[in-house]
Amino acid sequence: MSSHTLAIVLFLTFVAATLVITFWASRNTKTAADYYAGGRSFSGLQNGLAIGGDYMSAASFLGIAGMIALSGYDGFLYSIGFLVAWLVALLLVAELMRNSGKFTMADVLAFRMSPRPVRTAAGVSTITVSIFYLIAQMVGAGALVGLLLGITDTAGKNWVIVGVGALMIVYVVFGGMKGTTWVQIVKAVLLMGGAALITVLVLAKYNFNLSTLLAEASAASGKGDAFIVPGGKYGAESAGLWATNGKMDLISLGLALVLGTAGLPHILIRFYTVPTAKDARKSVLWGIGIIGVFYLFTLVLGFGAAALVKIPPTDTSGNTAAPQLAEAIGVNFMGEVGGTILLALIGAVAFATILAVVAGLTLASSSSFAHDLYAHVFKRGNVTEREEVVVARVSAFVIGAVAIALGILAQGQNVAFLVALAFAVAASGNLPAILYSLFWKRFNTAGAVSAIYGGLISCVIMVVFSPVVSGGKGALLKGVDFHIWELSNPGIVSIPLGFFFGWLGTVLSKEYNAAKWAEIEVRSLTGVGAEKSSSH
């Protein structure tokens, strides 16, 4: 059996299993709490697995392994940034969000402020971040499945994107949060199992001696010892302090990764799926453990790919390093058949990864549209739960269709900046508004709106006029150059601007509700009244 045929069989097996889960979940999704928050019925461990499934995207699995394979030590900095970010979520956000909100990020912001402008801003930000993330996942799906099934033409990859989008819509429309969560749990188990298997096989080849593996990777890379010390990608002396891939660009990327996670809408809604704040803390701890072990696996996967896989010079992303490593290590231990089996297995796991993440993103954005924009902005709270859920399902169709269309348009383009932009927007706009709302009693409506729009707009402007879009290596637009600064990661400027705009909007407005601040302070710390209607 060829790897193409085996990959198709594994794909279809996974899809069939997840559709059964979705059908089962749809029979148990009756209320708004069921659809948005899975009936708050998941344990800390279950939600921790789902957080891992939601967070470990194709960018994490394929992208980081490829980055390490190409850049060595500096590629592993991505793993560290993604992992450390969870400390911010654990210590500052998870428990307080679970206690203060109901279904979406905007519930926390709207509690003691004028709800319509705040919910509008939060809805716009949520949908923007989700769409950027979705496009990257869709294009990743086209490239990955194209590689595994031998699809090289653009039309074939476009049909792959349509298929992924259709499945995503089915999961969200019929399964809601329950179906999506179980898909993410299954995917997390598969991903950890697949990554662990390849990691053990790579280590076994080098007698479980990490030094031998690093030495082989350094030699194969052609860079020698420079491959395993800082500066391979960031901080090169020739680049300059503020240049693309310079030291300041690294700090900027690190800020976006570490602070962005706690502001990602599809991660924030996971805190509402557990019954208590204690379970929210437990789920983040489980998530940190699962994600931490996974990123240690990426270290072995990346350096293993550098040692064992000849990545062609034309592949500047390294996105196929992990599947190629699976094939190479399989051939090493079990011959051609073993290589075929492992390639198909890792390909199916990566496909499951993409499906689970896009389902979470679509659920977050459709929930925000229905709960924040439709129910509280357009209808001013005069809407039934049933009507709200219907709108959420319809908006999932629309957002899915938009993601499919944009994913097709972005085929063949450099989409790495979309993921970085999603993190940067979340850190620049969402996080300042959330932290100010939870910890600053003077914070008000003008501050929240200023923080979200100020961070969002400054972040997007910085990316548009950076080498990522024009003038840089692998820029989105070819043949034109209108960039006006060298930083490719905007976080070091846009994140402080988000906090500044939040402060400025607050001090320029006289609005202040002492009673509401006292109420949310008690509520965020104790959970009293957390499940009451948040239509304030």
Side-chain angles (χ1 to χ4, degrees):
M1 184 184 291
S2 71
S3 62
H4 296 168
T5 306
L6 188 57
I8 291 172
V9 171
L10 289 171
F11 286 163
L12 293 178
T13 302
F14 175 78
V15 169
T18 51
L19 287 175
V20 169
I21 291 170
T22 302
F23 175 72
W24 165 80
S26 69
R27 300 176 65 184
N28 294 282
T29 300
K30 297 179 174 63
T31 66
D34 289 334
Y35 186 83
Y36 293 132
R40 307 188 201 281
S41 59
F42 291 98
S43 68
L45 172 58
Q46 289 171 334
N47 197 43
L49 280 167
I51 284 173
D54 213 357
Y55 192 66
M56 296 182 294
S57 67
S60 295
F61 181 41
L62 302 176
I64 292 177
M67 192 75 74
I68 295 171
L70 293 174
S71 306
Y73 179 95
D74 280 14
F76 188 53
L77 294 173
Y78 277 79
S79 295
I80 296 169
F82 282 130
L83 178 58
V84 171
W86 281 100
L87 294 177
V88 179
L90 172 65
L91 299 175
L92 297 179
V93 174
E95 181 180 354
L96 303 180
M97 283 287 289
R98 166 62 188 78
N99 285 341
S100 306
K102 189 177 181 186
F103 297 137
T104 64
M105 174 184 80
D107 288 340
V108 176
L109 304 179
F111 184 81
R112 62 187 179 107
M113 300 170 194
S114 182
R116 295 187 77 205
V118 170
R119 285 190 184 276
T120 301
V124 168
S125 178
T126 295
I127 293 170
T128 302
V129 172
S130 299
I131 290 290
F132 284 138
Y133 233 122
L134 278 169
I135 297 170
Q137 299 296 324
M138 292 295 199
V139 175
L144 172 74
V145 180
L147 167 75
L148 291 164
L149 302 186
I151 299 171
T152 55
D153 61 300
T154 303
K157 292 180 181 179
N158 288 346
W159 281 112
V160 171
I161 289 175
V162 171
V164 171
L167 278 170
M168 162 187 83
I169 291 169
V170 169
Y171 293 153
V172 174
V173 170
F174 295 102
M177 179 57 89
K178 280 187 178 177
T180 299
T181 298
W182 280 110
V183 168
Q184 288 164 346
I185 289 171
V186 170
K187 168 256 167 147
V189 172
L190 289 174
L191 181 58
M192 291 298 288
L197 174 61
I198 305 301
T199 298
V200 169
L201 290 176
V202 170
L203 289 175
K205 178 174 174 58
Y206 295 101
N207 298 316
F208 294 92
N209 188 326
L210 196 58
S211 296
T212 307
L213 169 59
L214 294 177
E216 288 277 338
S218 300
S221 71
K223 300 174 183 176
D225 290 343
F227 192 65
I228 54 173
V229 296
K233 181 174 176 62
Y234 292 100
E237 292 303 321
S238 59
L241 183 65
W242 289 90
T244 299
N245 292 346
K247 294 175 181 177
M248 206 57 71
D249 211 15
L250 172 61
I251 295 171
S252 190
L253 172 68
L255 279 173
L257 296 182
V258 170
L259 298 178
T261 296
L264 290 175
H266 67 294
I267 298 298
L268 293 174
I269 62 171
R270 293 237 54 89
F271 300 140
Y272 298 130
T273 64
V274 291
T276 67
K278 183 179 179 182
D279 288 310
R281 283 198 309 276
K282 275 186 180 177
S283 62
V284 176
L285 288 171
W286 275 109
I288 288 174
I290 293 162
I291 293 163
V293 171
F294 172 75
Y295 284 134
L296 287 176
F297 290 161
T298 64
L299 182 66
V300 177
L301 296 176
F303 283 111
L308 298 171
V309 176
K310 298 297 181 188
I311 300 174
T314 53
D315 185 2
T316 56
S317 67
N319 285 339
T320 60
Q324 287 177 291
L325 172 63
E327 183 175 29
I329 201 70
V331 169
N332 185 83
F333 279 95
M334 296 169 280
E336 292 294 331
V337 175
T340 298
I341 292 171
L342 281 184
L343 174 62
L345 175 67
I346 294 303
V349 167
F351 185 66
T353 294
I354 290 169
L355 281 178
V357 173
V358 296
L361 288 163
T362 307
L363 182 66
S365 47
S366 63
S367 297
S368 184
F369 179 84
H371 184 64
D372 297 326
L373 297 178
Y374 179 79
H376 290 98
V377 176
F378 303 151
K379 288 288 191 175
R380 299 176 182 266
N382 298 316
V383 61
T384 64
E385 278 197 357
R386 180 179 175 80
E387 187 181 352
E388 196 176 313
V389 171
V390 168
V391 170
R393 286 176 163 149
V394 171
S395 62
F397 268 105
V398 175
I399 290 164
V402 169
I404 290 169
L406 292 176
I408 289 172
L409 288 175
Q411 270 285 29
Q413 299 284 2
N414 176 357
V415 295
F417 81 98
L418 290 170
V419 173
L421 181 57
F423 270 84
V425 169
S428 305
N430 293 353
L431 188 65
I434 290 168
L435 293 184
Y436 277 149
S437 185
L438 291 172
F439 296 105
W440 187 17
K441 67 180 179 181
R442 177 77 175 77
F443 197 50
N444 54 32
T445 304
V449 172
S450 300
I452 293 174
Y453 286 135
L456 172 68
I457 293 169
S458 62
C459 185
V460 172
I461 288 175
M462 282 204 67
V463 170
V464 168
F465 291 101
S466 77
V468 167
V469 173
S470 72
K473 183 181 178 182
L476 183 66
L477 300 178
K478 311 296 182 186
V480 294
D481 184 0
F482 50 82
H483 81 280
I484 56 178
W485 46 67
E486 296 301 323
L487 284 183
S488 58
N489 294 295
I492 198 166
V493 176
S494 61
I495 295 171
L497 279 177
F499 280 96
F500 170 75
F501 284 127
W503 170 83
L504 185 65
T506 299
V507 298
L508 291 179
S509 170
K510 295 181 179 179
E511 178 195 357
Y512 173 55
N513 190 327
K516 282 289 186 184
W517 160 250
E519 187 177 345
I520 198 169
E521 187 177 29
V522 171
R523 179 167 160 172
S524 66
L525 293 173
T526 65
V528 173
E531 296 189 18
K532 293 179 181 177
S533 171
S534 56
S535 59
H536 304 281

